[in-house]
Amino acid sequence: MRPAVVSLVVVSHSRALAEAAVGLATQMLHGPTRPHVEVAAGLEDGGLGTDAGAVARAVSRADALGGGAGVLVLVDLGSAVLSAEMALELLDPEVAARVRLSPAPLVEGLLAAVVTAAGGADLDTCAREADAGLRAKDEHLRDPRGGVASAPAEASETGATTPPASSLELAVTAEHGLHARPAARLVACAAGRAPRTTLRLRNLTAGRGPVDGLSLSAVATLDAQQGHVLLAEAVGPEAEQLLAELEELALMGFGDLPGPAEPLAEVDVPAPAVSTEPGVAGSGLEAAIGPAVRVESVLETADDHAGSVPEEHQRLADAVAGVRARLGELAEQARRHLGQGEAEVFEAHATLLQDPRITEAAHARIEAGEPAAEAWSAAVRAAAEAFATLADPYQRERGQDVHGVGDRVVRMLLGLEEPESTAHGVLVVDELDPALAISLDASKVQGVLTRNGGTTGHGVLIATARGVPVLTGVGDRADVPDGTVVAFDARSGDLVVDPEPALREAFEEMVSARSRERGRALRHARSPAVTTDGVRVRVKANVSSLAVARLGADLGAEGSGLVRTEAVFAQWRQAPSVDQQVEVYAAMAAVYHPHPVTIRTWDVGGDKPLPFHPVPVEGNPFLGARGLRAFVEDPSLLLDQLQAVCTVAVDHPLAVLFPMITTVQDVRWARELLATAARRAGLSAPPPGLQVGIMVEVPAAALGIAHLAQGLDLVSIGSNDLVQYTLAAERGNPRLAAWSDALDPAVLSLVRSVTDGVPEGVRVGLCGAMAGDPDLAGLLVGLGVQELSASAASVPLVKQRLRTGSTAEFGDLAARALACPDGASVRALVQEAQPTPTVRLSGPRAVGTAR
């Protein structure tokens, strides 16, 4: 039965104006309780005006649907007031007694009243909040110096004389501060614990408050902007629970952070079930257990439709149009929640639907008598096979995109449901396409297993960013019947099918322990990572878009240790201008101020294509014109980038890294280019605050670091490439996984060579997959690494692990690791040192635990 809730009626001369105001107000609602809002606006002929009879009928409906809790009527001006007053005379006296006419301004009053009613407040409280709707605007415009806002009387009357049972500081991190929508989420959170527990809020940064946490208009007067800190004081039996909920809400920017921090409301996707922190990208668990749910491709499905050739042409055209519309929806979701680059993945997929190599082949097959689905499937398979022949692994994985888009068209032709309509468990797919990754219900899906594909596929990147664990390239190990329990740990690459009860119990405990640790890490995400003996380790974020930069800052990253500029501009068809780059780099620097941001110059080549700087086809691109080498013949694009870096570095703390450095001559040439770029920017020399460094990715650079790093400020060890070049195993190739172990003692020895060999005063950082693995944080510090740059989602957990030990303990761990005979021995050593249990799903012992 619906609870009695105060209803509202909007009376306006313009129906369009009234409906727009209602639409805006209902966006403020986020809980299950939603007050009914009626519109009585405009005349029957569509003209401007108000009708007392229409107002009376609207009030009667609102009263009935609200369960008799009362009706608040908001009006715009002139005759609207008269019509509302006349409507009261037309109503049943019993109903009229439950109606209040509000003098509040229409838009501001409606917003305040809707949120207050949703919190369960009575009619008088809703009317009072509507009347106060202009307070925030009035305070802001009348007092530009930011004077102290007086609290509403309710705040001082409810709890001002009672010491708070508990208090908590909340950071305001979203770009636009605590504006209407995030403030409404905060009020709704407080209303969930009222009336037994009350909430007061202060803006410690601006000196405003206290105000009643149940009052939207009062919360708005705090003028809380990005970077401000609020003090939340809760009184009552559920104070601790309320503060915990507010802490989670603040981690999401009160639901207003860009990127994955905001749930995907359009498809009603809740936060990842594996995470204790709703909406935070990246679960930090990287492990999953549950029943297998197979999602099979339908490209091979027979089509028994027997339409005429014109009918089949039309069926295909309609299906393609339907999928294009769906991809447009997904692109908009990605743009809002993951960033522009990810949105353009879906736009590119929509473009695939118009690829003449596919469409012309499909229609030719229809002309030859094939049904639409079979014709389309054949054309898609032929196009995808062309990708499989490419030498570049990144380009090979683009074949996944063709399969995914093609599969959706066939599903529409055959009337089958979309693949995201799945049951609870671990999805088993051939390849994870982006559309499935962004639209799957993460409250039901514990994880994803892919038979084919590697870790750089667009779908894999999107799923992991949303906090869904993914294990890729498991082959026929994933060929299990639906409902069979599977467990995997993406950190180790282990997978087990139908685990024994003891192993299953141990694995579930490991997942639970990781979840608890993740919760602790997020509660202290913004605190520095200081070892037990007082040594601070800077933990930064790897950045591939402005949305990721903001997420990293929210999760406690102390700057960015690696801005992958080739990823930031990966979807651009033309090279960005100097001014466009300045805008992007300055925005990233502002996100992390006062912490520094490290710009890596274009790392094109190998598995990193750049549309506006193509490199010649090479037999072995990883050993070819990569990174700095790609600009020897024409450095103009690199000079533009360095000019932008110098321009931004005048006003922001910035560092620049040159990739793929091998010789002293490489360093000398890079610095000459930087000096030239500074002069192009109107400077006599590179800005004094701009730090200069190189990437250490090849063994030659690691062994010759004493000479290469002379005169530099920092070096950054690129662990992914260092592993690849040290062990001669192509990164991302699942067939070479056994030869591509980042914990091989040879790799660790090269890391130690760098930290021991750099000239005095040169900082050593490490980026790549190793930096984002919390299990390895202590080992890397023990090897002498001073800074870590991890994926944004990994930052809190990496910092948390560093707080659990001393540099002496980490150094001892490193010494023992260097003495190990192989990577497996190092991994066992590292697992034994972890504070959370570790389960081995394969090997001599099925179950292992750590201290």
Side-chain angles (χ1 to χ4, degrees):
M1 180 178 178
R2 175 185 168 93
V5 179
V6 171
S7 297
L8 299 102
V9 174
V10 178
V11 182
S12 171
H13 285 67
S14 167
R15 186 165 191 86
L17 173 63
E19 290 177 344
V22 172
L24 177 63
T26 53
Q27 289 184 41
M28 305 297 117
L29 302 177
H30 304 283
T33 303
R34 290 178 173 259
H36 183 74
V37 183
E38 284 279 340
V39 171
L43 301 178
E44 287 187 2
D45 61 3
L48 298 177
T50 57
D51 182 331
V55 174
R57 291 190 294 273
V59 170
S60 296
R61 287 193 298 270
D63 180 68
L65 291 170
V71 180
L72 183 65
V73 180
L74 293 113
V75 296
D76 53 14
L77 74 165
S79 66
V81 179
L82 298 177
S83 294
E85 290 177 332
M86 187 178 298
L88 292 181
E89 299 178 6
L90 301 177
L91 293 171
D92 182 283
E94 184 178 347
V95 174
R98 295 193 291 269
V99 178
R100 298 283 188 279
L101 302 185
S102 172
L106 183 65
V107 176
E108 292 89 343
L110 180 62
L111 263 64
V114 161
V115 173
T116 306
D122 59 19
L123 182 59
D124 289 337
T125 302
C126 292
R128 187 166 56 245
E129 280 301 304
D131 294 348
L134 267 183
R135 183 187 293 126
K137 187 189 294 183
D138 183 70
E139 295 263 354
H140 183 80
L141 296 178
R142 290 178 183 273
D143 186 10
R145 294 165 299 176
V148 176
S150 58
E154 310 87 85
S156 60
E157 294 169 2
T158 58
T161 60
T162 305
S166 190
S167 64
L168 180 69
E169 291 185 4
L170 305 171
V172 180
T173 58
E175 181 178 3
H176 300 295
L178 205 63
H179 63 90
R181 277 189 294 272
R185 296 183 184 103
L186 186 153
V187 170
C189 184
R193 299 289 178 179
R196 300 182 65 207
T197 299
T198 60
L199 176 70
R200 292 188 303 166
L201 295 167
R202 303 173 188 265
N203 186 333
L204 297 180
T205 306
R208 290 176 176 264
V211 301
D212 183 0
L214 286 175
S215 169
L216 177 63
S217 58
V219 171
T221 67
L222 292 175
D223 196 22
Q225 302 171 21
Q226 186 180 44
H228 286 192
V229 177
L230 305 179
L231 178 67
E233 300 173 311
V235 181
E238 297 176 328
E240 292 294 338
Q241 295 94 318
L242 174 57
L243 292 180
E245 292 166 0
L246 290 173
E247 184 177 28
E248 292 182 0
L249 194 59
L251 284 170
M252 297 186 290
F254 296 95
D256 212 38
L257 281 178
E262 185 171 357
L264 304 176
E266 291 78 16
V267 289
D268 195 25
V269 178
V274 293
S275 174
T276 58
E277 277 34 290
V280 175
S283 68
L285 306 180
E286 298 166 312
I289 184 169
V293 180
R294 296 167 63 108
V295 179
E296 305 293 350
S297 170
V298 297
L299 286 175
E300 303 288 346
T301 304
D303 185 358
D304 58 2
H305 195 275
S308 66
V309 168
E311 288 174 340
E312 293 302 283
H313 282 308
Q314 189 60 50
R315 285 182 64 221
L316 180 57
D318 291 344
V320 168
V323 173
R324 285 190 66 192
R326 176 59 174 154
L327 291 173
E329 296 171 359
L330 296 175
E332 182 57 32
Q333 292 170 25
R335 182 175 292 106
R336 291 177 55 197
H337 304 294
L338 295 175
Q340 178 62 23
E342 288 78 0
E344 289 175 349
V345 170
F346 295 97
E347 293 168 357
H349 282 195
T351 303
L352 276 174
L353 293 171
Q354 298 174 290
D355 186 333
R357 182 171 59 174
I358 299 175
T359 57
E360 290 176 7
H363 284 291
R365 286 177 172 272
I366 290 175
E367 286 289 340
E370 290 187 16
E374 292 183 8
W376 176 262
S377 295
V380 166
R381 290 197 302 271
E385 286 169 2
F387 284 88
T389 64
L390 300 178
D392 185 342
Y394 182 89
Q395 295 290 359
R396 283 200 301 271
E397 290 193 6
R398 303 289 67 79
Q400 298 179 28
D401 302 343
V402 180
H403 274 298
V405 173
D407 189 83
R408 284 183 174 267
V409 172
V410 175
R411 286 180 181 275
M412 188 160 288
L413 284 167
L414 299 180
L416 302 175
E417 63 181 11
E418 293 183 325
E420 52 263 30
S421 303
T422 55
H424 179 96
V426 175
L427 293 191
V428 180
V429 298
D430 284 334
E431 295 168 334
L432 182 57
D433 80 288
L436 175 57
I438 200 173
S439 53
L440 57 81
D441 188 340
S443 68
K444 296 179 180 178
V445 176
Q446 275 82 31
V448 180
L449 290 172
T450 76
R451 299 182 184 89
N452 306 307
T455 58
T456 61
H458 287 136
V460 175
L461 297 177
I462 289 173
T464 52
R466 292 190 60 208
V468 179
V470 182
L471 185 61
T472 62
V474 300
D476 57 11
R477 291 188 294 163
D479 291 337
V480 297
D482 270 337
T484 304
V485 174
V486 293
F488 71 83
D489 186 352
R491 289 185 191 173
S492 64
D494 285 342
L495 165 67
V496 66
V497 175
D498 195 16
E500 296 291 334
L503 178 57
R504 179 172 180 172
E505 182 179 353
F507 190 86
E508 289 172 342
E509 172 53 31
M510 182 191 75
V511 173
S512 178
R514 286 187 184 179
S515 178
R516 292 191 298 270
E517 184 184 31
R518 176 71 171 168
R520 291 192 299 271
L522 282 170
R523 285 193 291 274
H524 302 287
R526 294 182 181 86
S527 299
V530 180
T531 63
T532 56
D533 56 342
V535 175
R536 181 170 182 173
V537 181
R538 305 280 178 177
V539 182
K540 303 179 179 182
N542 298 330
V543 167
S544 57
S545 70
L546 187 56
V548 172
R550 290 169 176 152
L551 179 64
D554 183 54
L555 293 177
E558 299 168 289
S560 172
L562 180 66
V563 175
R564 297 186 172 106
T565 54
E566 69 284 344
V568 174
F569 296 102
Q571 305 299 327
W572 288 49
R573 300 295 180 264
Q574 295 180 328
S577 68
V578 172
D579 289 342
Q580 287 171 325
Q581 292 185 69
V582 166
E583 183 179 359
V584 172
Y585 303 152
M588 290 181 175
V591 166
Y592 284 111
H593 183 81
H595 301 297
V597 166
T598 303
I599 306 293
R600 182 177 68 186
T601 61
W602 307 117
D603 192 11
V604 62
D607 61 346
K608 302 183 183 77
L610 201 57
F612 46 83
H613 190 79
V615 296
V617 176
E618 298 172 302
N620 193 335
F622 281 104
L623 298 180
R626 284 196 61 191
L628 190 70
R629 303 172 181 178
F631 299 93
V632 171
E633 295 180 2
D634 180 8
S636 56
L637 183 64
L638 180 55
L639 280 169
D640 283 350
Q641 184 176 44
L642 293 174
Q643 181 181 341
V645 167
C646 288
T647 302
V648 175
V650 171
D651 300 313
H652 299 279
L654 223 63
V656 62
L657 281 177
F658 293 97
M660 204 62 182
I661 296 294
T662 309
T663 68
V664 172
Q665 287 72 26
D666 289 341
V667 180
R668 184 179 300 121
W669 184 64
R671 302 201 72 163
E672 289 172 356
L673 287 176
L674 183 61
T676 300
R679 290 191 293 271
R680 287 176 47 177
L683 307 169
S684 59
L690 176 62
Q691 298 189 330
V692 181
I694 61 172
M695 297 288 294
V696 178
E697 300 161 287
V698 298
L703 296 173
I705 195 64
H707 301 291
L708 294 178
Q710 286 291 337
L712 297 181
D713 300 296
L714 71 155
V715 300
S716 180
I717 301 171
S719 63
N720 295 347
D721 274 324
L722 186 63
V723 171
Q724 171 176 248
Y725 292 127
T726 302
L727 302 177
E730 176 192 13
R731 56 189 286 189
N733 187 335
R735 295 176 58 194
L736 299 179
W739 291 274
S740 184
D741 192 342
L743 294 185
D744 190 289
V747 176
L748 304 184
S749 295
L750 288 174
V751 173
R752 172 56 65 84
S753 292
V754 175
T755 61
D756 285 347
V758 291
E760 186 174 354
V762 178
R763 300 193 321 278
V764 179
L766 185 141
C767 58
M770 291 179 74
D773 188 338
D775 290 351
L776 303 185
L779 171 64
L780 294 173
V781 170
L783 289 170
V785 175
Q786 297 163 293
E787 297 180 355
L788 297 172
S789 191
S791 64
S794 303
V795 167
L797 202 51
V798 170
K799 294 173 75 173
Q800 183 69 16
R801 286 291 177 86
L802 290 171
R803 300 183 187 111
T804 64
S806 68
T807 54
E809 292 169 332
F810 295 152
D812 177 65
L813 174 64
R816 287 187 290 154
L818 289 169
C820 286
D822 53 33
S825 302
V826 176
R827 182 164 289 100
L829 189 68
V830 167
Q831 288 177 343
E832 290 172 2
Q834 301 312 313
T836 55
T838 299
V839 175
R840 296 175 181 172
L841 296 177
S842 60
R845 283 194 307 123
V847 181
T849 58
R851 293 199 303 269

